[in-house]
Amino acid sequence: MRRVGLGAIISIVFGCACAPVDEPQLPTASVRSTQFATPPPPVTDPVPSGEQLTALFAASVNYSVREEDRARLFDGPTERNVSLARAWGAQPDPQHIEFTSVEVTGPDTVDASGKGSFGGLDSYSVGPIPFVRFENEWKVSRAFACRVVGAFDGPDACA
């Protein structure tokens, strides 16, 4: 049996107490970027394409696009469309619509039709959905959007 001296025991016991102590960690904040999706460029063609109206419509219901930018996608003054943009985009799982045909219905109006899809369901026909030319840009028809939103959210979104 080997004897351990008192000095060895003291150095073992207190050696651990003399080890460097970690500095207390300061709390760290997790910082996230507040990036918003960019809205599509203004559509100013004399007659918009189905692809242009698909991008316009998709941005109008996309909550990752800033609310003020979505409000500009409806005809009429932007400040009047903020509550409409909020209600119009407040769909838990919006359908995807791809417009494949555009029909001129008046000097500053077109109707777009195409296919819609929702979740994993089969595609279905959509349209006609009206778009209007306002201040030389094509927009989602405010009157149409207000009728749709009014059926679910009441008239407050379009007041």
Side-chain angles (χ1 to χ4, degrees), residues 12-53:
I12 292 172
V13 171
F14 290 106
C16 295
C18 296
V21 177
D22 289 336
E23 292 291 320
Q25 298 263 336
L26 296 174
T28 57
S30 174
V31 178
R32 285 191 186 209
S33 170
T34 54
Q35 294 290 327
F36 288 96
T38 55
V43 179
T44 58
D45 296 356
V47 176
S49 69
E51 184 177 90
Q52 290 170 316
L53 295 181

Side-chain angles (χ1 to χ4, degrees), residues 2 21-22 32 36 41 46 50 55-56 70 83 88 90 93 100 102 112 121 131 139 144 147 151 156:
R2 191 168 198 208
V21 177
D22 289 336
R32 285 191 186 209
F36 288 96
L56 174 64
R70 286 186 293 114
S83 60
W88 180 253
D93 190 13
T100 54
V102 178
L121 302 176
F131 291 83
K139 311 278 185 167
F144 170 78
R147 280 193 308 272
D156 294 341

Side-chain angles (χ1 to χ4, degrees), residues 71-83:
R72 289 185 192 97
L73 302 178
F74 299 93
D75 65 294
T78 300
E79 61 277 358
R80 191 173 151 218
N81 291 331
V82 172
S83 60

Side-chain angles (χ1 to χ4, degrees), residues 71-110:
R72 289 185 192 97
L73 302 178
F74 299 93
D75 65 294
T78 300
E79 61 277 358
R80 191 173 151 218
N81 291 331
V82 172
S83 60
L84 171 59
R86 185 177 307 122
W88 180 253
Q91 301 174 33
D93 190 13
Q95 63 181 327
H96 171 74
I97 296 177
E98 185 173 341
F99 296 110
T100 54
S101 69
V102 178
E103 178 187 348
V104 176
T105 56
D108 290 325
T109 60
V110 297

Side-chain angles (χ1 to χ4, degrees), residues 6 8 11 15 23 37 45 47 53-54 60 92-93 95 103 115 122 126 152 159:
L6 182 59
S11 67
E23 292 291 320
D45 296 356
V47 176
L53 295 181
T54 296
S60 76
D93 190 13
Q95 63 181 327
E103 178 187 348
K115 295 288 180 187
D122 291 338
V126 172
F152 300 102

